[in-house]
Amino acid sequence: MVQELARSIAEADSPSWAVRAAAGQRLATAPRIDSVADVLHRLLLDPHDTGVTSDTAAALLARRDLPGLRAVLAARAVAPADPGTAAQLEAELDGEPRWTTGADGDELAVQLRTLTSDPDPDVRSEALLRLSRLR
């Protein structure tokens, strides 16, 4: 597991967008993503290809947990205003199946409410914005 993690971290710097995207997907499944949070953040904000952004964000959101959602919100909050990266993160968040009503929507609302108290003001702001869209 440690070797695979080290390999994925190294591949996050690959010149190939597909290799970077695959690394993001693997890193997003790490049991403790806080140990690779900086690398995931960099992949979410990949300046060269939105495919890396999309694949990494989708994998993080598929975790259906607070750390995964937090990582995507943190990236969205600071994403450049260009039409690429910010729009791709927005699309992944808007396409998240848990935006539906019912139990899935409740699960997401609970996570967003928790993140409105996050120590990072950017995460708090993005969580508040997303929570307002659930209502």
Side-chain angles (χ1 to χ4, degrees), residues 30-53:
R32 294 195 43 184
I33 63 171
D34 57 327
S35 64
V36 293
D38 290 343
V39 178
L40 284 166
H41 191 75
R42 186 166 32 91
L43 291 167
L44 286 166
L45 298 174
D46 190 284
H48 305 293
D49 198 294
T50 58
V52 178
T53 300

Side-chain angles (χ1 to χ4, degrees), residues 15 17 33 44 55 60 80 96 98-99 109 127:
W17 77 268
I33 63 171
L44 286 166
D55 289 354
L60 284 164
E96 167 60 32
R98 293 183 297 158
W99 290 116

Side-chain angles (χ1 to χ4, degrees), residues 2-132:
V2 172
Q3 281 182 324
E4 184 176 322
L5 190 62
R7 182 178 62 110
S8 295
I9 290 170
E11 289 178 351
D13 292 323
S14 171
S16 166
W17 77 268
V19 172
R20 292 193 313 277
Q25 290 173 317
R26 285 191 307 275
L27 290 170
T29 65
R32 294 195 43 184
I33 63 171
D34 57 327
S35 64
V36 293
D38 290 343
V39 178
L40 284 166
H41 191 75
R42 186 166 32 91
L43 291 167
L44 286 166
L45 298 174
D46 190 284
H48 305 293
D49 198 294
T50 58
V52 178
T53 300
S54 176
D55 289 354
T56 304
L60 284 164
L61 292 171
R63 293 173 59 99
R64 297 180 66 114
D65 65 1
L66 200 59
L69 178 60
R70 184 189 187 283
V72 178
L73 292 178
R76 174 58 192 98
V78 299
D82 67 47
T85 303
Q88 193 60 54
L89 287 166
E90 191 79 23
E92 292 303 329
L93 285 162
D94 288 346
E96 167 60 32
R98 293 183 297 158
W99 290 116
T100 61
T101 57
D104 284 344
D106 292 343
E107 173 192 343
L108 182 59
V110 167
Q111 289 178 346
L112 288 169
R113 274 193 222 87
T114 300
L115 290 171
T116 63
S117 299
D118 195 86
D120 182 333
D122 290 331
V123 172
R124 285 194 310 264
S125 176
E126 197 65 31
L128 283 167
L129 173 66
R130 298 281 156 192
L131 195 54
S132 73

